């Protein structure tokens, strides 16, 4: 059994910076994060073990610390202002690439385009971007394009974790609508996500017949890495850690590829790698 680790995988700079900020000793026992700082269960547990409190966005009234932190996924200005109005000191861990997405969406709106965000309407990053616009539409598939009827000038941005081919397919479909006269597209898919997706292409070119994808179940970019493998008809399993591995997956397989989403810590990747080696009898 051959085991290959993807050339690019695991924690990106945006996630690492957010974790480092939250784990600053100055914040010990006096910081509350609104929402999951990153979509990864091990990181969430590590933060809690370091005295960081985490509340969901609908539990803001339960916050007892003065300091609150916005997650790497960002939030709308209205959300930040609401927190300040409630008397909190707001620390912002929004990733610079998410800030860029916010800026470009606002730029398109200022230029007179109707803003369209390609992504998942319920995702916290998309909600933050839409919350900063006067009006906008979220498009996730071809069916959603109908809601753009009547808008002749359309400005498009993408959730940072989308697959480029999915975004380009939807941009092309929007351009083809008979009522659309002008489309301006700003590519806001983040570079670390692209690199992790490209690394899957390399694994596929090496003929893996099993993919192990590590990351939180609610991590959008991890789910997309799994899709990239399974869309090619290759068995792929999305796991959160070594305990989720199942020995039966490896029976009759020749080459396993391992990858991880942008919020998966290195120690979790190493633990999964070690367990895979153990399961296939390499230790
Ligand atoms: S995945 Fe990209 S946008 Fe999201 S935190 Fe990491 S670098 Fe930033």
């Amino acid at each position: 059994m051959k085991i290959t680790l993807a050339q690019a995988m695991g924690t990106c700079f945006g996630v690492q910076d957010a974790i480092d900020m939250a784990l600053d000793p100055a914040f010990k026992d006096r910081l509350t994060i609104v929402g999951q700082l990153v979509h990864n269960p091990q990181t969430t547990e590590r933060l809690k073990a370091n005295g960081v409190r985490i509340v969901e966005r609908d539990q803001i009234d339960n916050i007892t610390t003065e300091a609150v932190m916005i997650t790497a996924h960002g939030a709308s200005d209205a959300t930040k202002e609401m927190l300040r109005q409630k008397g909190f000191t707001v620390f912002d861990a929004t990733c610079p690439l998410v800030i860029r997405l916010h800026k470009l969406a606002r730029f398109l709106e200022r230029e007179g385009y109707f803003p369209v965000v390609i992504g998942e309407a319920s995702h916290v990053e998309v909600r933050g971007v839409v919350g900063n616009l006067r009006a906008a539409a979220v498009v996730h598939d071809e069916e959603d394009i109908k809601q753009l009827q009547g808008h002749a000038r359309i400005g498009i941005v993408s959730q940072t974790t989308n697959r480029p081919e999915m975004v380009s397919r939807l941009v092309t479909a929007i351009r083809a609508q008979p009522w659309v006269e002008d489309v301006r597209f700003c590519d806001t898919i983040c570079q670390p996500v692209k690199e992790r997706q490209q690394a899957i292409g390399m694994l596929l070119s090496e003929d893996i017949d099993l993919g192990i994808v590590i990351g939180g179940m609610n991590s959008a970019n991890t789910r997309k890495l799994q899709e990239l493998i399974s869309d090619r008809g290759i068995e792929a399993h999305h796991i959160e850690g070594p305990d989720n591995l199942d020995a039966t997956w490896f029976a009759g397989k020749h080459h396993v590829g391992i990858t991880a989403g942008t919020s998966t810590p290195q120690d979790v990747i190493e633990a999964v790698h070690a367990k895979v080696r153990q399961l296939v009898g390499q230790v």
Side-chain angles (χ1 to χ4, degrees):
M1 165 76 77
K2 187 174 170 190
I3 303 170
T4 304
L5 298 170
Q7 285 188 7
M9 66 171 156
T11 310
C12 60
F13 73 91
V15 165
Q16 193 57 55
D17 286 354
I19 294 168
D20 291 347
M21 188 192 277
L23 291 177
D24 187 318
F27 282 137
K28 188 154 175 58
D29 296 323
R30 52 172 294 264
L31 177 71
T32 302
I33 298 173
V34 183
Q36 277 195 37
L37 183 63
V38 293
H39 286 154
N40 182 268
Q42 292 93 348
T43 303
T44 301
E45 286 312 309
R46 190 168 156 226
L47 291 165
K48 285 182 181 169
N50 277 275
V52 176
R53 290 161 220 198
I54 297 170
V55 299
E56 292 307 323
R57 286 176 186 238
D58 57 359
Q59 297 172 332
I60 283 166
D61 290 335
N62 299 339
I63 298 175
T64 53
T65 59
E66 188 209 324
V68 299
M69 185 176 281
I70 301 296
T71 72
H73 298 105
S76 67
D77 290 349
T79 299
K80 294 177 199 170
E81 187 51 31
M82 177 269 291
L83 289 166
R84 286 189 197 102
Q85 291 292 331
K86 285 182 180 283
F88 299 116
T89 305
V90 177
F91 293 88
D92 196 347
T94 307
C95 172
L97 298 183
V98 176
I99 292 173
R100 174 176 175 266
L101 161 60
H102 279 254
K103 283 184 176 165
L104 285 170
R106 283 173 144 164
F107 163 76
L108 290 169
E109 184 175 61
R110 271 200 315 278
E111 292 291 302
Y113 292 94
F114 179 71
V116 169
V117 184
I118 294 180
E120 293 172 47
S122 61
H123 193 281
V124 61
E125 178 184 296
V126 174
R127 291 209 310 266
V129 174
V130 170
N132 271 349
L133 299 166
R134 285 193 299 275
V138 180
V139 169
H140 189 250
D141 54 32
E142 276 77 359
E143 189 64 19
D144 292 335
I145 293 175
K146 286 183 197 151
Q147 61 180 308
L148 307 181
Q149 219 146 18
H151 296 287
R153 298 186 78 218
I154 292 178
I156 307 174
V157 289
S158 164
Q159 188 176 339
T160 55
T161 49
N162 277 329
R163 288 169 61 175
E165 60 275 25
M166 170 261 205
V167 174
S168 120
R169 192 188 75 232
L170 288 171
V171 171
T172 303
I174 291 169
R175 282 191 208 279
Q177 299 308 311
W179 67 85
V180 173
E181 291 169 10
D182 182 11
V183 170
R184 185 144 177 202
F185 167 56
C186 297
D187 182 357
T188 49
I189 303 174
C190 98
Q191 189 59 28
V193 164
K194 284 181 181 165
E195 287 165 6
R196 280 147 188 73
Q197 294 183 0
Q198 283 158 3
I200 295 280
M202 289 182 230
L203 286 180
L204 293 169
S205 70
E206 291 183 31
D207 285 332
I208 58 166
D209 54 4
L210 177 65
I212 301 294
V213 186
I214 317 160
M217 284 300 151
N218 54 353
S219 160
N221 79 85
T222 306
R223 282 200 303 270
K224 278 162 194 142
L225 294 178
Q226 183 195 16
E227 279 169 26
L228 278 170
I229 302 173
S230 51
D231 283 358
R232 292 279 289 267
I234 294 165
E235 185 177 331
H237 297 280
H238 178 173
I239 61 168
E240 291 194 333
D243 294 345
N244 303 132
L245 286 166
D246 184 333
T248 62
W249 298 342
F250 301 89
K253 298 294 193 304
H254 305 286
H255 188 179
V256 55
I258 299 177
T259 186
T262 53
S263 47
T264 308
Q266 187 61 27
D267 59 335
V268 177
I269 296 171
E270 284 168 17
V272 169
H273 186 201
K275 181 82 183 282
V276 169
R277 291 182 64 212
Q278 183 196 333
L279 289 173
V280 302
Q282 291 189 3
V283 284

